[in-house]
Amino acid sequence: MGAKKITIILFSIFICTICIAQNNQLSIWSPQVKIDGSGIPVIGVTIDINSKKYFPSNEIGVVPISLKLLKISDTISIRHIGYETKKIIVTYLNELPSVILLKEAAVTLEEVKIVESKKKNKR
């Protein structure tokens, strides 16, 4: 084979590889969940679709989800202890956010009293 034919074959393989990589990239939604205000990734987040399919975040707060699992009007809930639950209703698959910001939940505890018990255990 001539050098020109080998170049054409290698170029064709290169173009096909790029097309496949872009196609795979478009079929996954990978939002990163961060703390609102600081931008720090939140680890241990759970994203659920219609309270049926659950997906955990990784060590950098990213949650990869196949777009094949999502439909228009699905409700996506983002949950983590200590943060307010955020809900997203899918209107367009190509307009899902790449970053989701969670607000810290404000929890106010009432006064706690510790009282000594006067009961004695019988043995």
Side-chain angles (χ1 to χ4, degrees):
M1 267 193 207
K4 190 173 184 179
K5 287 184 180 180
I6 291 174
T7 304
I8 291 172
I9 291 171
L10 289 175
F11 183 73
S12 298
I13 291 171
F14 176 72
I15 294 297
C16 288
T17 304
I18 290 175
C19 290
I20 290 170
Q22 285 181 346
N23 195 19
N24 286 340
Q25 194 174 34
L26 295 175
S27 64
I28 301 288
W29 175 48
S30 298
Q32 184 176 33
V33 182
K34 296 182 177 185
I35 299 172
D36 192 12
S38 71
I40 298 172
V42 182
I43 301 168
V45 170
T46 300
I47 291 183
D48 71 72
I49 303 168
N50 299 326
S51 299
K52 295 180 183 175
K53 300 172 187 145
Y54 297 87
F55 304 90
S57 67
N58 62 17
E59 61 279 351
I60 57 171
V62 174
V63 186
I65 299 172
S66 173
L67 288 176
K68 293 177 184 176
L69 299 173
L70 294 170
K71 302 182 304 280
I72 303 301
S73 78
D74 279 349
T75 300
I76 299 170
S77 298
I78 302 93
R79 303 173 196 278
H80 190 285
I81 294 174
Y83 296 90
E84 294 177 6
T85 298
K86 184 163 196 164
K87 293 189 182 231
I88 299 171
I89 297 175
V90 179
T91 52
Y92 299 101
L93 292 177
N94 59 349
E95 292 183 5
L96 292 168
S98 60
V99 175
I100 299 170
L101 300 175
L102 290 184
K103 293 181 181 179
E104 292 187 67
V107 178
T108 305
L109 296 177
E110 294 182 22
E111 182 179 355
V112 177
K113 293 182 181 180
I114 300 174
V115 180
E116 179 182 1
S117 174
K118 295 185 180 182
K119 292 182 182 179
K120 293 186 179 182
N121 292 336
K122 295 182 180 179
R123 292 188 184 204

